[in-house]
Amino acid sequence: TIEDLATYKYYHMAKSIQVLATTAEGTFRPVGSVMNVDGAVDKPFQTKTLKEILESPVSALRGLSEDKGAMMKDNLGLATVNDLADFKFCKWAESIAFLGKYEGKN
């Protein structure tokens, strides 16, 4: 449904990483750094900067298998976390669902 697409957790993970990456300073992540994004990505990506995570395959998001990532790439053209953050159908669904709350409230 539109609501399901609007609330797709992997889209929201990707979008949040994308937004925070614009505020990131520096080109490395300090050793021992712990960020709330760590819970959203698989262990090998927890030492990456936000910008590096954006360039990583969608399967870097915790819970998305490599097989699911390959399917998303092959069928939807979503190769990277950044691609998912920019996925127009999620953006449209999110906007429709949000504005639907105001439908008929004149």
Side-chain angles (χ1 to χ4, degrees):
T1 68
I2 289 175
E3 185 68 29
D4 291 335
L5 194 55
T7 59
Y8 185 52
K9 77 176 183 178
Y10 299 109
Y11 163 68
H12 284 278
M13 287 177 182
K15 185 175 77 165
S16 297
I17 292 166
Q18 185 185 59
V19 168
L20 293 173
T22 65
T23 68
E25 296 179 5
T27 57
F28 68 97
R29 186 164 168 192
V31 175
S33 172
V34 178
M35 300 189 321
N36 57 3
V37 71
D38 289 351
V41 297
D42 289 334
K43 193 160 186 76
F45 298 92
Q46 292 177 358
T47 58
K48 306 284 186 193
T49 66
L50 293 171
K51 291 177 183 176
E52 289 172 327
I53 294 170
L54 280 179
E55 297 167 0
S56 299
V58 291
S59 59
L61 298 173
R62 184 171 289 173
L64 271 181
S65 67
E66 288 187 18
D67 287 343
K68 183 85 163 189
M71 185 208 66
M72 292 173 81
K73 180 180 179 183
D74 294 343
N75 296 318
L76 302 172
L78 304 175
T80 67
V81 172
N82 197 56
D83 292 339
L84 179 55
D86 285 334
F87 192 47
K88 68 181 178 182
F89 297 107
C90 284
K91 287 181 174 188
W92 294 349
E94 184 179 38
S95 297
I96 290 166
F98 180 80
L99 291 174
K101 296 174 188 177
Y102 298 97
E103 189 172 332
K105 294 185 179 184
N106 296 3

